């Protein structure tokens, strides 16, 4: 189990993390969700031992990251947000490099390199230099370098930023495999649909504070409400607010209400009277992204 | 640690720039200055060679700092430093692993330039043990300063500019370009605070006067002291450097 115990972090006078406290079950896939600058990367850097000055502690499988940092690092595989590969070397050389940093050597290392290259779908590119790789291939190799030493905990910081659908699919498949093999996964993203798809527990982080956490089912059941999605010319947030909490979306408005069918009937009546022809009027269930917005008032992405 | 050293060496072998700075440019300087001064100077040929060859060897060993700054800043800005910090490799091994390839390159540089001096200008080598020890000490000094500079500066440009001040300023004030005896007393005094002066003193003692380790022990001690300053600065600068790393 990973136990986060009152973790706070300041950069000068700016508080990046504010008293984070939560637990992650062994073998689970935990999604850490928040907008850019929320504190996700700071938390991950503390967990993997890159940032060493912070308040509180984290117990990783009963070992403190403060007291037993080297031991903890041995069973963590960290996939940073940036691609950290030596561009002038081949894929195989990069894996060899990271494998040695984790203490692997000889036949065991060579065997692990073959296995990992297969897992990330780059067996046929083993001897190609990184400069010849696409962004998605680099991302996959970035993950490969972190799983060579068969870590019990894999920490992925925004691993799918800027990649093609094929590589995204390959990464999801790989994470699924890691989960099936019993690894604990911490997955940070601001792509909520990814987190909903692959994680079984979730934590919302905003402005350095954990605003909600728990199993995916628990969080969805606790906050999910029915809503009506409306998209129509001549209708604004003000007009819809009388029916319930109204959230502006990219192409329309989501109106949360207790009795959506009855409310929808009233809306149709009003639209008819005012001669409004809605482009879309439909019932919808709030998704993780809506719940995050409801709890924090913060959009995860700039484009909503 | 060896993983870092091997990878760094592999990449340096592919870097044409480092070969130019390390071997070609110093040879051009040595040939050029010996040619110029042998025509106009009253110095004996052997005295000229034992002034210019070690002088330019010392000056150019400091140019390794440019390569070190570029390498470290690149690793810092690409997130590689943070990535390596997440592995179980202890800090001191990371620093040593990064430092060793540059140390090897500088040792190779000194050997090649001394051999060039021997083959082309009949440079006398003196006591091989003393020469080996002072060469290793010089390599340690320039690379430990390179490491300190790499971890201290915020930008590559700042590192390159400061390296030039240290290498060229130190060469001029330390008497590497011309014998200190012809310089004013104040300059001769300033020179004694610079490692370049002591390194040249050591080399000349071995090459010119046939000195042994017992004759240059003070020089070695001073050079080691300057080198240790670089190591201490590196060790204490690393946490800030790590905080600046991306990822």
């Amino acid at each position: 189990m990973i136990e986060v115990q009152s973790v706070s972090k300041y950069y000068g006078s700016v508080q990046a993390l504010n008293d984070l406290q939560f637990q992650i079950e062994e073998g689970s896939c935990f999604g850490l969700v928040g907008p850019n600058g929320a504190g996700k990367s700071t938390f991950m850097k503390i967990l993997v031992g890159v940032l060493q000055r912070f308040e509180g502690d984290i117990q990783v499988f009963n070992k403190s990251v403060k007291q037993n940092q080297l031991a903890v690092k041995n069973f963590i595989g960290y996939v940073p947000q940036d691609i950290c590969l030596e561009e002038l070397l081949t894929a195989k050389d990069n894996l060899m490099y990271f494998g040695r940093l984790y203490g692997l050597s000889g036949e065991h290392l060579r065997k692990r390199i073959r296995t990992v290259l297969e897992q990330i779908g780059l067996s046929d590119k083993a001897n190609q230099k990184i400069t010849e790789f696409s962004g998605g291939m680099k991302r996959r190799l970035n993950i490969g370098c972190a799983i060579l030493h068969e870590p019990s905990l894999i920490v992925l910081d925004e691993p799918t930023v800027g990649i093609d659908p094929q590589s995204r699919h390959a990464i999801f498949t790989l994470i699924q495999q890691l989960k099936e093999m019993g690894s604990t996964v911490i997955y940070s993203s601001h792509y909520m649909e990814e987190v909903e798809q692959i994680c079984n527990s979730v934590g919302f982080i905003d402005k350095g504070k954990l605003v909600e956490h728990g199993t995916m089912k628990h969080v969805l059941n606790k906050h999910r409400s029915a809503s009506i999605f409306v998209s129509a010319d001549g209708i604004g947030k003000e007009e819809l607010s009388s029916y319930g909490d109204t959230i502006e979306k990219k192409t329309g408005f989501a109106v949360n209400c207790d009795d959506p069918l009855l409310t929808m009937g009233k809306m149709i009546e009003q639209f008819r009277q005012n001669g409004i022809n809605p482009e879309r009027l439909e019932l919808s269930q709030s998704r993780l992204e809506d719940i995050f917005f409801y709890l924090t008032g913060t959009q995860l992405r700039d484009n909503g | 640690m060896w993983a870092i050293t091997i990878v760094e060496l592999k990449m340096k072998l592919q870097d044409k720039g480092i070969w130019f700075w390390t071997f070609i440019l110093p040879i051009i300087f040595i040939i050029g200055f010996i040619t110029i001064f042998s025509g106009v100077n009253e110095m004996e040929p052997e005295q000229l060679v034992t002034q210019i060859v070690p002088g330019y060897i010392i000056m150019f060993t400091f140019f390794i700092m440019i390569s070190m700054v570029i390498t470290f800043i690149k690793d810092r800005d690409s997130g590689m430093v943070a990535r390596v910090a997440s592995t179980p490799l202890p800090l001191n091994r990371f620093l040593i692993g990064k430092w060793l390839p540059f140390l090897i390159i500088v040792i190779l540089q000194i050997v090649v330039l001394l051999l060039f001096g021997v083959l082309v200008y009949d440079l006398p080598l003196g006591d091989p043990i003393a020469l080996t020890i002072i060469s290793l000490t010089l390599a340690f000094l320039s690379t430990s300063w390179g490491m300190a500079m790499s971890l201290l500066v915020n930008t590559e440009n700042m590192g390159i500019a400061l390296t030039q001040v240290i290498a060229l300023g130190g060469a001029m004030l330390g008497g590497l370009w011309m014998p200190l005896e012809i310089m004013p007393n104040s300059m001769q005094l300033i020179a004694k605070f610079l490692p370049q002066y002591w390194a040249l003193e050591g080399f000349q003692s071995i090459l010119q006067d046939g000195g042994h380790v017992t004759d240059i022990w003070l020089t070695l001690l001073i050079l080691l002291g300057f080198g240790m300053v670089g190591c201490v600065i590196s060790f204490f600068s690393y946490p800030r450097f790590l905080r600046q790393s991306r990822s």
Side-chain angles (χ1 to χ4, degrees):
Chain A
M1 178 189 284
I2 291 114
E3 201 174 342
V4 183
Q5 300 167 336
S6 302
V7 169
S8 295
K9 169 73 186 169
Y10 287 85
Y11 290 113
S13 58
V14 179
Q15 188 166 23
L17 294 178
N18 183 357
D19 196 29
L20 294 191
Q21 291 183 59
F22 60 98
Q23 294 175 348
I24 300 167
E25 291 297 324
E26 201 169 335
S28 67
C29 180
F30 179 83
L32 189 61
V33 170
N36 289 332
K40 305 186 297 289
S41 293
T42 299
F43 168 72
M44 290 189 157
K45 281 185 184 180
I46 288 174
L47 177 63
V48 303
V50 173
L51 290 178
Q52 292 164 4
R53 281 193 210 156
F54 63 97
E55 290 168 21
D57 199 0
I58 304 175
Q59 298 285 330
V60 180
F61 308 130
N62 297 320
K63 282 194 162 51
S64 153
V65 296
K66 275 191 169 167
Q67 312 293 328
N68 305 290
Q69 203 168 79
L70 286 185
V72 169
K73 283 176 177 179
N74 267 314
F75 43 70
I76 294 183
Y78 173 47
V79 182
Q81 195 172 344
D82 294 304
I83 293 166
C84 292
L85 301 169
E86 292 294 358
E87 295 265 328
L88 294 174
L89 301 181
T90 64
K92 200 172 164 184
D93 282 344
N94 269 282
L95 289 167
M96 189 77 80
Y97 174 53
F98 280 101
R100 285 182 177 144
L101 290 183
Y102 284 102
L104 307 186
S105 60
E107 186 49 38
H108 178 54
L109 174 58
R110 283 190 287 276
K111 199 174 158 192
R112 282 297 301 152
I113 288 173
R114 283 195 295 273
T115 309
V116 166
L117 280 169
E118 253 173 57
Q119 278 181 297
I120 59 177
L122 293 175
S123 292
D124 54 336
K125 312 277 185 211
N127 295 312
Q128 270 188 24
K129 281 193 180 176
I130 306 307
T131 42
E132 297 163 21
F133 276 27
S134 70
M137 284 154 72
K138 287 181 189 174
R139 286 257 168 228
R140 281 187 268 160
L141 185 60
N142 209 29
I143 298 176
C145 292
I147 58 172
L148 265 174
H149 61 297
E150 300 174 88
S152 322
L153 171 62
I154 297 142
V155 179
L156 300 110
D157 193 359
E158 309 256 11
T160 57
V161 171
I163 61 167
D164 54 284
Q166 189 192 353
S167 287
R168 187 182 297 251
H169 177 72
I171 289 173
F172 286 179
T173 308
L174 178 62
I175 293 171
Q176 197 57 43
Q177 278 175 16
L178 294 168
K179 278 161 58 180
E180 282 163 13
M181 284 157 64
S183 298
T184 307
V185 177
I186 300 181
Y187 186 94
S188 137
S189 181
H190 60 261
Y191 296 119
M192 211 59 104
E193 58 278 24
E194 286 184 0
V195 174
E196 236 178 305
Q197 189 182 336
I198 61 173
C199 298
N200 47 24
S201 59
V202 67
F204 289 155
I205 186 167
D206 188 42
K207 293 170 189 141
K209 223 173 159 53
L210 194 74
V211 287
E212 179 62 280
H213 73 284
T215 62
M216 190 66 76
K217 203 172 162 187
H218 166 79
V219 171
L220 287 173
N221 285 343
K222 186 174 168 188
H223 298 286
R224 181 170 265 178
S225 60
S227 63
I228 302 163
F229 184 82
V230 186
S231 174
D233 280 339
I235 282 287
K237 194 173 175 179
E238 270 180 34
E239 289 85 355
L240 294 169
S241 294
S242 57
Y243 295 107
D245 267 350
T246 305
I247 299 166
E248 193 169 349
K249 310 285 274 188
K250 198 177 175 186
T251 54
F253 299 91
V255 182
N256 294 316
C257 47
D258 292 334
D259 192 341
L261 279 176
L262 190 67
T263 308
M264 193 185 251
K266 287 178 187 171
M267 274 185 190
I268 291 168
E269 188 56 38
Q270 191 198 342
F271 290 168
R272 195 177 291 148
Q273 282 172 11
N274 297 337
I276 293 169
N277 264 332
E279 289 155 23
R280 284 173 68 189
L281 181 65
E282 55 204 44
L283 287 174
S284 68
Q285 281 257 304
S286 49
R287 303 191 63 178
L288 213 53
E289 188 155 358
D290 305 312
I291 296 170
F292 184 87
F293 182 75
Y294 169 74
L295 289 171
T296 66
T298 309
Q299 292 282 10
L300 277 166
R301 277 166 280 176
D302 295 337
N303 63 7
Chain B
M1 183 183 92
W2 294 114
I4 292 181
T5 303
I6 292 164
V7 160
E8 203 60 60
L9 266 178
K10 262 188 184 177
M11 289 194 298
K12 288 291 157 280
L13 286 173
Q14 298 178 48
D15 179 1
K16 292 187 183 87
I18 204 167
W19 295 107
F20 177 75
W21 284 106
T22 311
F23 301 106
I24 298 169
L25 198 62
I27 288 174
I28 291 171
F29 267 70
I30 289 170
I31 295 172
F33 279 84
I34 289 182
T35 309
I36 292 165
F37 284 103
S38 59
V40 295
N41 213 292
E42 293 163 1
M43 284 162 90
E44 290 290 315
E46 187 182 302
Q47 201 186 352
L48 182 68
V49 169
T50 52
Q51 164 74 29
I52 289 181
V53 175
Y56 283 98
I57 287 177
I58 295 163
M59 185 178 95
F60 278 98
T61 57
F62 283 89
F63 278 93
I64 195 71
M65 292 168 75
I66 292 179
S67 283
M68 294 182 82
V69 166
I70 292 171
T71 302
F72 275 81
I73 299 282
K74 189 202 91 190
D75 280 357
R76 185 194 73 188
D77 294 346
S78 68
M80 186 58 89
V81 170
R83 177 70 183 89
V84 173
S86 75
T87 71
L89 188 79
L91 159 66
N92 55 354
R93 290 202 195 168
F94 167 73
L95 291 178
I96 294 170
K98 273 289 192 195
W99 166 68
L100 273 178
F102 296 100
L103 185 77
I104 293 168
I105 289 168
V106 174
I107 291 169
L108 203 64
Q109 179 187 33
I110 297 171
V111 170
V112 168
L113 296 180
L114 282 174
L115 278 176
F116 176 79
V118 172
L119 295 173
V120 180
Y121 298 108
D122 288 327
L123 177 77
L125 286 182
D127 178 3
I129 296 171
L131 190 62
T132 305
I133 293 176
I134 196 160
S135 299
L136 291 176
T137 312
L138 175 63
F140 165 70
L141 164 70
S142 57
T143 49
S144 73
W145 278 28
M147 176 91 86
M149 174 80 78
S150 309
L151 300 183
L152 271 179
V153 294
N154 289 323
T155 64
E156 202 176 287
N157 284 341
M158 192 195 277
I160 292 170
L162 285 174
T163 299
Q164 284 173 355
V165 169
I166 290 171
L168 299 177
M172 188 179 70
L173 297 172
L176 303 185
W177 288 350
M178 60 192 81
L180 269 179
E181 299 85 65
I182 63 168
M183 290 169 120
N185 285 343
S186 57
M187 298 292 271
Q188 292 187 28
L189 184 69
I190 291 170
K192 292 193 172 140
F193 292 95
L194 298 169
Q196 284 94 336
Y197 164 82
W198 292 101
L200 186 63
E201 278 284 302
F203 271 103
Q204 285 187 326
S205 169
I206 299 163
L207 305 178
Q208 225 170 52
D209 309 329
H212 302 284
V213 177
T214 46
D215 303 310
I216 57 162
W217 68 269
L218 180 64
T219 302
L220 292 174
L221 211 62
I222 291 169
L223 293 178
L224 281 173
F226 275 116
M228 284 311 294
V229 170
C231 289
V232 171
I233 292 173
S234 304
F235 189 81
F236 286 106
S237 307
Y238 179 77
R240 176 179 160 273
F241 178 75
L242 178 57
R243 281 198 299 277
Q244 288 177 328
S245 177
R246 279 170 64 93
S247 278

